[in-house]
Amino acid sequence: MLNRPVRFLRMFMLALTVVILAVALAGYLAWPFALVALAAAGGVAAILSYALLQGDRAVRYRVLEQQARDERQRRERDKDLFRAQEEHAQRYREWQESKERHDRQLTWYAVAVPDELDRIDVAGGTLPGWSALVTLLGATRLYSGGHLTVLDLSEGAIAKDLIELARKGGDDPLVWVLPVDLPRLDLGATLKPEAFADVLAHVVSVSEEQRSTRDLSFDNAILERVLEVLGENATISQVTAALRALAQVGDPRDDLRFGLITATQLERIGTLFGRGVSDRVVIERAWALESQLRKLETLGTQAVRLPPARLRVVSMDRQAGVFGNRVLGTYVATALTHILRQSPSSDRPWYHTIIVAGADKLRGDVLDRLMDACETSRTGLVLTYRSLTPTVRERLGRGHAAVAFMRLGNAEDARVASEHVGTEHRLELAQLTETISESLPGLDGGYTSTISQVEEDREERDGDHADLAEDITESTEWGRTADKISEKERVLQRSREFLVEPHQLQQLPTTSVIVTDATADGRRVRLADANPAILTFPKTTLGELEDVREAVLSLNPQAVDGNGEPPPNLGPPPPRLDWRKGRQ
């Protein structure tokens, strides 16, 4: 179309050439003039023809160029379509593999105890098993908005994974490692003199299991009178200085020089009790009180202002003496009891939960008082016992409590546990529980104190976007181990059944827990796995089996498989791809 004027002009010049030639042949035009005219017209026509030829060549080149571009674009579209087909096929294969793995896995349901229960008694178990149990209980409490206090008397750092998990979830746990952090521990600093005397009297009785209530009241009377002399806000160091003066131990001038007591207080202490036969009894008890309370002399001397924390851990240093740790543990438990007694009852049961690991190291009366205080304040209490001593047997499941049994190495303890549960119960154990228990290494290291690193003006972390499953996988050894093992098909199937017999209780996997509690229909016995990594599995729900089954049946009576379990819902496969259009 662009060359159309040129074509018309060429045709005109060619026609003019023919006309000139005809006129010349007819004799109307002289040949010299005709030849000049023919040369001019033919030359112009030739030039125009060459221009048209060049234009045609340019058009053909552009057409070929456009065809090459079209071919390249077609090949690119084919490549994109091929990649999309490969990607879709890969996604579909992954979905099929995931579905097959999902279908092969067991469905895990929660084992929950009623909110009306006041306590959970855990008998038996190893340190790794306790670590798993504490991590599981703590994670469900913290990630549901609750508060948790762990008193670790096991000296095994069983809450270490829970601390890392809490940090991962956005919390800043507070960790006291006693006796190193004893100067920064202000627990019991606000107690009244009567309550403070009661706490100290129970601390002194930690090494005297056979002491009667009368002996405790005698010690309590001595301490109350000493505190009356010292006045309110008396420290442990002042109390031990007064007891030394009462017991006539050492030189009281040293305590006067250090300002622990005054001359007036020293004079009053000397006249607290009468002279005579009873004087010797008072001196002996004052000496005994001073010898044990001196382990608490540094208590609260360097108290720091602490920010609020939803997780608090108080532990005993394994490098410290055994007796000293028992004294410290008794003090913390008794002081915590008095604080709970002064606290109002909570509107939400188990909103604040206390876990005492190694509770068999506490005296029976200390445990009784702690149980009563938690019950009246509606504070959840979990007590773990390494062995079933006579003191533990008397209190196991007493009151409104659930009882859980873990591995019991002692044959007599296993016999008592089997009688408590009932040997007629048949329980089913998953192979995954046994496999992970065998592959997990023991606990390493200890706690790292956070009290000395606390800053008053530190920023609060934002834990609103915490992912419990991801945090367990990244921050706990349980999650990392289970993530590797659970991929194997052989550990995802049911394993074996067993009866609750003594030799079976001695061979329980590390994380297995037999939970028993009383219901209106009788005692209920269930086998649970305390491994926190189970919360990361795709077929795990925090609902109980009975509740999930009832909910599914209420929506669709046919939506329960042959095993009585709701079918899994993995989601639809990837959408099919239109191979012709390259669109999904």
Side-chain angles (χ1 to χ4, degrees), residues 315-376:
S315 71
M316 306 300 127
D317 190 351
R318 66 178 68 178
Q319 304 299 328
V322 176
F323 178 72
N325 281 349
R326 291 193 65 185
V327 171
L328 296 174
T330 303
Y331 172 80
V332 174
T334 311
L336 191 59
T337 299
H338 278 277
I339 293 175
L340 290 174
R341 289 169 61 90
Q342 298 173 4
S343 302
S345 179
S346 174
D347 296 333
R348 295 170 54 187
W350 291 84
Y351 176 74
H352 181 207
T353 303
I354 298 176
I355 300 178
V356 182
D360 46 337
K361 296 183 180 181
L362 300 175
R363 280 174 54 101
D365 54 346
V366 175
L367 288 174
D368 292 339
R369 292 155 61 93
L370 180 60
M371 294 175 189
D372 294 340
C374 290
E375 181 178 355
T376 55

Side-chain angles (χ1 to χ4, degrees), residues 120-125 130 133 385 388 392 396-397 402-408 413-422 427 500 505 508-517 523 525-528:
I120 300 176
D121 293 332
V122 182
W130 283 3
L133 181 64
Y385 306 101
L388 297 179
V392 174
L396 196 65
V403 182
F405 294 98
M406 301 184 77
R407 179 188 293 178
L408 293 157
D413 291 348
R415 183 189 64 79
V416 173
S418 65
E419 292 177 356
H420 183 97
V421 177
L427 302 176
V500 183
L505 296 180
L508 281 178
T510 303
T511 58
S512 293
V513 186
I514 300 176
V515 184
T516 67
D517 62 291
R523 179 160 290 275
V525 179
R526 294 168 292 175
L527 179 64

Side-chain angles (χ1 to χ4, degrees), residues 277-294:
V277 179
S278 62
D279 191 41
R280 176 53 53 187
V281 179
V282 173
I283 290 175
E284 290 179 356
R285 286 311 304 164
W287 195 353
L289 291 171
E290 190 276 339
S291 64
Q292 298 191 38
L293 292 181
R294 66 188 307 173

Side-chain angles (χ1 to χ4, degrees), residues 124-140:
T126 61
L127 292 181
W130 283 3
S131 175
L133 181 64
V134 169
T135 304
L136 178 65
L137 295 177
T140 53

Side-chain angles (χ1 to χ4, degrees), residues 236-246 255 260-261 290 297:
I236 297 289
S237 57
Q238 291 176 311
V239 173
T240 54
L243 291 173
R244 282 193 294 270
L246 184 61
D255 294 328
L260 297 178
I261 56 175
E290 190 276 339
E297 282 187 333

Side-chain angles (χ1 to χ4, degrees), residues 176 182 184-200 227 232-236 296 299-300 303 314 331-340 342:
W176 289 268
L182 195 59
R184 291 176 284 271
L185 180 66
D186 59 351
L187 186 65
T190 59
L191 294 178
K192 296 181 179 180
E194 297 81 4
F196 195 38
D198 182 69
V199 171
L200 297 182
L227 288 172
E232 293 187 1
N233 301 324
T235 62
I236 297 289
L296 300 173
L299 176 68
V314 181
Y331 172 80
V332 174
T334 311
L336 191 59
T337 299
H338 278 277
I339 293 175
L340 290 174
Q342 298 173 4

Side-chain angles (χ1 to χ4, degrees), residues 264-533:
T264 303
Q265 291 172 344
L266 180 61
E267 183 179 355
R268 290 185 59 189
I269 290 171
T271 60
L272 277 177
F273 298 92
R275 304 294 178 181
V277 179
S278 62
D279 191 41
R280 176 53 53 187
V281 179
V282 173
I283 290 175
E284 290 179 356
R285 286 311 304 164
W287 195 353
L289 291 171
E290 190 276 339
S291 64
Q292 298 191 38
L293 292 181
R294 66 188 307 173
K295 296 178 175 59
L296 300 173
E297 282 187 333
T298 60
L299 176 68
T301 56
Q302 302 175 12
V304 295
R305 183 181 179 184
L306 300 176
R310 296 195 300 128
L311 174 61
R312 296 177 176 86
V313 178
V314 181
S315 71
M316 306 300 127
D317 190 351
R318 66 178 68 178
Q319 304 299 328
V322 176
F323 178 72
N325 281 349
R326 291 193 65 185
V327 171
L328 296 174
T330 303
Y331 172 80
V332 174
T334 311
L336 191 59
T337 299
H338 278 277
I339 293 175
L340 290 174
R341 289 169 61 90
Q342 298 173 4
S343 302
S345 179
S346 174
D347 296 333
R348 295 170 54 187
W350 291 84
Y351 176 74
H352 181 207
T353 303
I354 298 176
I355 300 178
V356 182
D360 46 337
K361 296 183 180 181
L362 300 175
R363 280 174 54 101
D365 54 346
V366 175
L367 288 174
D368 292 339
R369 292 155 61 93
L370 180 60
M371 294 175 189
D372 294 340
C374 290
E375 181 178 355
T376 55
S377 62
R378 303 188 73 185
T379 300
L381 179 61
V382 180
L383 302 175
T384 65
Y385 306 101
R386 195 67 178 269
S387 59
L388 297 179
T389 62
T391 302
V392 174
R393 294 180 190 177
E394 294 176 4
R395 293 162 177 80
L396 196 65
R398 189 171 66 184
H400 202 188
V403 182
F405 294 98
M406 301 184 77
R407 179 188 293 178
L408 293 157
N410 183 274
E412 180 62 20
D413 291 348
R415 183 189 64 79
V416 173
S418 65
E419 292 177 356
H420 183 97
V421 177
T423 56
E424 72 278 5
H425 294 285
R426 184 179 295 276
L427 302 176
E428 188 174 17
L429 183 66
Q431 186 178 352
L432 178 66
T433 301
E434 294 183 304
T435 305
I436 296 183
S437 297
E438 295 172 358
S439 61
L440 195 76
L443 300 178
D444 296 326
Y447 293 108
T448 300
S449 172
T450 62
I451 303 305
S452 58
Q453 306 170 2
V454 169
E455 298 179 2
E456 296 183 8
D457 298 328
R458 67 181 178 179
E459 297 180 356
E460 295 290 335
R461 295 185 184 179
D462 183 10
D464 295 339
H465 305 288
D467 188 326
L468 177 57
E470 180 181 349
D471 293 346
I472 289 177
T473 303
E474 293 180 357
S475 61
T476 67
E477 188 63 32
W478 301 99
R480 290 187 290 269
T481 302
D483 189 50
K484 299 176 183 177
I485 294 179
S486 62
E487 297 178 358
K488 301 179 181 178
E489 178 181 355
R490 61 183 182 88
V491 302
L492 299 179
Q493 303 301 322
R494 290 183 172 89
S495 178
R496 62 182 176 89
E497 291 184 345
F498 67 94
L499 293 173
V500 183
E501 297 176 345
H503 70 279
Q504 294 286 358
L505 296 180
Q506 292 178 277
Q507 300 173 4
L508 281 178
T510 303
T511 58
S512 293
V513 186
I514 300 176
V515 184
T516 67
D517 62 291
T519 63
D521 300 328
R523 179 160 290 275
R524 182 172 53 173
V525 179
R526 294 168 292 175
L527 179 64
D529 191 336
N531 186 352

Side-chain angles (χ1 to χ4, degrees), residues 71-238:
E71 181 65 20
R72 286 195 300 272
Q73 292 177 358
R74 186 186 64 80
R75 287 198 297 266
E76 289 296 329
R77 286 195 301 269
D78 291 343
K79 289 181 180 179
D80 292 340
L81 181 60
F82 181 75
R83 280 196 298 267
Q85 293 172 350
E86 287 294 322
E87 181 182 354
H88 180 272
Q90 179 64 26
R91 289 172 55 194
Y92 196 85
R93 286 193 297 268
E94 291 175 355
W95 179 86
Q96 284 184 320
E97 293 174 0
S98 178
K99 184 177 184 301
E100 291 175 1
R101 276 199 311 272
H102 190 279
D103 294 340
R104 289 197 304 267
Q105 287 180 341
L106 297 176
T107 302
W108 298 86
Y109 299 92
V111 174
V113 296
D115 290 339
E116 295 77 17
L117 291 182
D118 303 317
R119 191 178 75 257
I120 300 176
D121 293 332
V122 182
T126 61
L127 292 181
W130 283 3
S131 175
L133 181 64
V134 169
T135 304
L136 178 65
L137 295 177
T140 53
R141 290 291 85 201
L142 294 177
Y143 280 74
S144 62
H147 291 250
L148 184 68
T149 299
V150 179
L151 175 55
D152 187 3
L153 305 179
S154 67
E155 303 179 10
I158 62 170
K160 191 174 181 180
D161 276 350
L162 177 60
I163 294 171
E164 295 299 323
L165 182 59
R167 289 198 183 103
K168 193 73 176 177
D171 288 317
D172 286 319
L174 296 178
V175 182
W176 289 268
V177 180
L178 305 182
V180 178
D181 288 329
L182 195 59
R184 291 176 284 271
L185 180 66
D186 59 351
L187 186 65
T190 59
L191 294 178
K192 296 181 179 180
E194 297 81 4
F196 195 38
D198 182 69
V199 171
L200 297 182
H202 278 83
V203 169
V204 173
S205 66
V206 67
S207 62
E208 302 170 345
E209 294 290 343
Q210 302 302 324
R211 285 187 64 79
S212 62
T213 305
R214 184 181 63 181
D215 298 327
L216 284 174
S217 61
F218 183 63
D219 291 345
N220 195 6
I222 295 176
L223 291 168
E224 280 187 355
R225 294 189 181 186
V226 168
L227 288 172
E228 286 178 3
V229 174
L230 297 176
E232 293 187 1
N233 301 324
T235 62
I236 297 289
S237 57
Q238 291 176 311

